[in-house]
């Protein structure tokens, strides 16, 4: 018994050593981690790489993308959204691959008139097909302070979190024929753009350009994720989060209670309950337990 325990202990030690070699850490730095890809200087990095801003005016919006691609992991970003009258604007923060059969995991923040709440729009695309929208009001003003928006992407499920509170779980339902994003590496993208043809009250409220420029701010990016090297995933760690933490991040009982609380009091649209949209029956993943 004792010798077998020693063998197991040595195996565990070897595994830990191997993991320490696989995971490589560095701190979040927007200069190091991202490229501003469009907007003609409307996107800016400052405070020594610790803060990034995107702006929108009548001429153009702006956007950035990660230098690295990821295949599974946890992504965290703190955002402070456009303040005041943000009607017509959309701040998008998402993971996406490329091509007509791309996968995508979306946060989109739909602006509104001063005093009216933002709408947080979420969606999951698999093999180029989305139409899996859930929308929420937030339980705070997202323009006054920074708040953390996170995606946990695992082969088993995708979890959307706000300030570490789960708001949505999209489970792998391949066993009943529903595609799941698990083979295409994705980059992190964000953009601030004008969408006043649909974003606010279905396009009834237009962007007030007298309030421009509109600006959103980003800080404290963290990615505890597997980095795609072009041929395979290295599972290299990209910040100081403990190695493998996201891998065991199942929803515990308090997490499930918080998820039910958000979905009961703050969810304003769920494609799974939209019978007018799906008169022939809701998509098959909607018929499975949510948690």
């Amino acid at each position: 018994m004792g010798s077998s325990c020693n063998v197991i202990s040595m195996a565990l030690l070897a595994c830990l050593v191997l993991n320490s070699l696989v995971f490589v850490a560095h701190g979040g730095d927007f200069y190091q981690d991202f490229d501003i890809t469009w907007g003609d200087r409307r996107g800016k990095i400052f405070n020594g790489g610790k803060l990034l801003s995107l702006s929108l005016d009548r001429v153009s919006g702006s956007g950035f993308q990660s230098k690295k691609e990821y295949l599974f992991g946890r992504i965290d970003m703190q955002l402070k959204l456009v303040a005041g009258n943000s009607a017509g604007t959309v701040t998008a923060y998402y993971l996406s691959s490329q091509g007509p059969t791309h996968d995508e995991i979306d946060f989109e923040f739909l602006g509104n008139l001063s005093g009216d709440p933002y709408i947080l729009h979420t969606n999951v695309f698999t093999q180029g097909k989305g139409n899996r929208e859930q929308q929420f009001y937030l339980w705070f003003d997202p323009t006054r302070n920074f708040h953390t928006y996170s995606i946990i992407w695992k082969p088993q499920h995708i979890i959307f979190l706000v300030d570490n509170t789960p708001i949505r779980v999209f489970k792998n339902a391949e066993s009943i024929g529903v595609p799941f994003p698990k083979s295409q590496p994705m980059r992190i993208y964000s953009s601030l753009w004008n969408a006043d043809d649909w974003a606010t009250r279905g396009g009834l409220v237009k962007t007030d350009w007298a309030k421009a420029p509109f600006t959103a701010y980003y800080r404290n990016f963290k990615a505890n994720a597997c980095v795609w090297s072009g041929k395979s995933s290295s599972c290299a760690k990209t910040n100081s989060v403990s190695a493998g933490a996201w891998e065991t991040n199942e929803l515990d009982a308090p997490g499930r209670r918080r998820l039910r609380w958000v979905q009961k009091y703050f969810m304003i649209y769920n494609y799974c309950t939209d019978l007018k949209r799906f008169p022939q029956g809701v998509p098959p993943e909607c018929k499975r337990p949510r948690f």
Side-chain angles (χ1 to χ4, degrees), residues 25-35 45 49 66-68 238:
H26 66 75
D29 182 323
F30 283 108
Y31 286 119
Q32 183 174 337
D33 296 325
F34 292 92
D35 292 316
I45 299 173
S66 63
K67 295 179 186 290
K68 296 183 176 68
T238 57

Side-chain angles (χ1 to χ4, degrees), residues 17-85:
V17 170
L18 179 60
N19 282 339
S20 70
L21 293 174
V22 169
F23 287 86
V24 180
H26 66 75
D29 182 323
F30 283 108
Y31 286 119
Q32 183 174 337
D33 296 325
F34 292 92
D35 292 316
I36 295 175
T37 49
W38 63 284
D40 192 23
R41 300 185 182 178
R42 290 172 180 83
K44 299 177 182 178
I45 299 173
F46 44 103
N47 279 16
K50 301 302 182 185
L51 194 65
L52 184 149
S53 67
L54 294 181
S55 291
L56 163 70
D57 57 32
R58 188 185 288 272
V59 176
S60 178
S62 50
F64 64 85
Q65 70 180 46
S66 63
K67 295 179 186 290
K68 296 183 176 68
E69 293 179 292
Y70 303 94
L71 186 64
F72 305 126
R74 174 169 178 148
I75 306 296
D76 300 281
M77 185 83 79
Q78 290 191 334
L79 281 76
K80 185 162 69 170
L81 299 179
V82 174
N85 182 358

